[in-house]
Amino acid sequence: MKKHLPGFVVILILFVLSALIVLPTGKGVLFGKPIQLGLDLQGGLHIVYQADLSGVADSEKGNVLSGVVSVISNRVNPLGVSEPNIAQQGDDRIVVDLPGTALSDEQKQRIGSTALLVFGELVTGDEPYTWENALGKWKPATDTGTPDGKVLDSSYFKDNTFLTTNSQTGQVLLNFEWTDEGAKISEAVTTRMLGKRLGIFEGDTTLLGDDGQPVAPTVNAVITDRGVIEGLSISEAQLLSKQLNAGRLPVPLTIIYQNTVSPVLGSDFVHLSFLAGIVGVLLVMAFMILFYRFPGFLASLGLLFYVALILAVYKLLPVTLSLPGIGGFILSIGMAVDANVLIFERMKDELRAKRTLGAAIEAGFSRAWSAIWDSNITTLIVCGILVWVGATVTGGEKVQGFALTLGIGVIASMFTAIFVTRTFLRMTIGTNLTKNLALFTTESGDRNA
């Protein structure tokens, strides 16, 4: 028994940590994270964007809208929204359904902004201007200084912007790198504008710094390959960096409709699902104890460990639970018990062959392992295929959710069956419990422990 005490301590620590993460059911004691619920269980936001395709040829509109869907997906994921539904609607609209209502108005606008930073220079005299702010009137900065030149903007950025901090001022720096063409334009612009301000604008608005003033650094050197934008708040810099790396929308979008969506299944369904899950687990535990007696009791303890571990993983990753996700979770519970059934049946075979109880336990696990391994690996392969298929079709997030919860459950069930239940059984060998063979099998006969 002492030999297996370290394994038992590991199991106990994992169970306590999992319980602290899971309980209470809202935000757990440890890490304070709730379980994320999908759109069908908690409702969310329904936003419709309209694309301005006035400058796009009819033959290219389909490709442009597909690109818009892809860029919006890249922008939504860093916001921490799980299982969003983003799809084209009609000829010029994009529908975005987001679980929860935690997005701010700024984030909603950001999702549909083109994310194109344009560098500008102050106009002189009566020159036409594009922007006006506290520093004056501005026009796009071009490589020749004329309206016919190439405008210096973020379309020439590489998709690798990142944040650093100025070691002297402590301000956040948004680092970017020019493409080859951007480097030529930047060299021409910064050479021409040495000692002058270079304003930065996004769409029709001025990019503002953490102090609320326009971001317009003075050009102190010729910039050819890379540069930094200084003065932004850290939240603004992070959001801007994610948007720039996610890609630029090929056309402007406008929000034409938004609404809060009620959960399709409602809170009653969540309550009933939770209740059904508890009843199901209790019934499975009762079956295991009645049919397999003491090993069934230990497997039931392993099942409680499994449920706590799975829910903790769901909170930590986090995993969004929609109806398909709950289905994957419940199915994985059945697979966790299935592994124990295979093991215990092999143990019975060994006991019928007059093996000692200790030898029967070890042989039961080793003989069942190949079947458990083959079954779970094939299931994991199927889960991988479902995740891949879900990523290639519109609305495939629910398929991915099912595959994810099932895959996590399969991995956890292997750990529970092979390590947790096995450790429990090994700790009983040599104790008084093993002297009563009736606790281990419903069959009669004398066996040695």
Side-chain angles (χ1 to χ4, degrees), residues 79-95:
L79 296 177
V81 179
S82 301
E83 289 199 13
N85 181 26
I86 303 164
Q88 179 181 339
Q89 183 184 66
D91 297 330
D92 60 352
R93 295 181 180 180
I94 304 296
V95 176

Side-chain angles (χ1 to χ4, degrees), residues 280-293:
V281 169
L282 291 176
L283 288 175
V284 170
M285 291 170 65
F287 168 79
M288 294 296 291
I289 293 172
L290 288 174
F291 205 77
Y292 294 105
R293 304 208 173 177

Side-chain angles (χ1 to χ4, degrees), residues 329-350:
F329 169 58
I330 293 176
L331 183 58
S332 69
I333 291 178
M335 297 189 68
V337 176
D338 180 61
N340 286 311
V341 169
L342 283 173
I343 294 166
F344 297 156
E345 288 298 327
R346 295 292 183 273
M347 284 175 54
K348 284 184 176 180
D349 292 340
E350 299 302 321

Side-chain angles (χ1 to χ4, degrees), residues 2 7 33 85 105 108 131 137 153 160 175 185 192 244 246 262-263 276 284 291 295 324 357 393-394 402:
K2 290 182 180 178
K33 289 187 174 182
N85 181 26
D105 291 339
K108 296 173 195 171
W131 307 281
K137 298 175 181 177
D153 58 43
N160 60 352
N175 296 261
I185 301 172
R192 183 171 57 80
L244 292 171
S262 300
V284 170
F291 205 77
L357 184 59
V393 299
T394 302
F402 171 81

Side-chain angles (χ1 to χ4, degrees), residues 391-418:
T392 58
V393 299
T394 302
E397 295 81 8
K398 290 181 172 52
V399 177
Q400 290 180 305
F402 171 81
L404 182 62
T405 54
L406 179 59
I408 292 173
V410 167
I411 295 172
S413 69
M414 291 175 69
F415 174 76
T416 304
I418 300 303

Side-chain angles (χ1 to χ4, degrees), residues 20-35 315:
L20 291 176
I21 294 171
V22 172
L23 298 174
T25 54
K27 292 184 177 180
V29 174
L30 206 58
F31 299 112
K33 289 187 174 182
I35 289 182
K315 282 192 173 184

Side-chain angles (χ1 to χ4, degrees), residues 14-75:
L14 283 176
F15 180 76
V16 172
L17 290 177
S18 298
L20 291 176
I21 294 171
V22 172
L23 298 174
T25 54
K27 292 184 177 180
V29 174
L30 206 58
F31 299 112
K33 289 187 174 182
I35 289 182
Q36 302 284 342
L37 298 178
L39 195 66
D40 52 353
L41 298 180
Q42 68 164 331
L45 291 173
H46 176 75
I47 308 174
V48 180
Y49 294 92
Q50 185 165 40
D52 180 4
L53 299 172
S54 56
V56 180
D58 291 342
S59 59
E60 292 296 321
K61 288 182 179 178
N63 293 332
V64 168
L65 285 177
S66 297
V68 170
V69 171
S70 176
V71 171
I72 290 180
S73 298
N74 292 336
R75 290 182 179 183

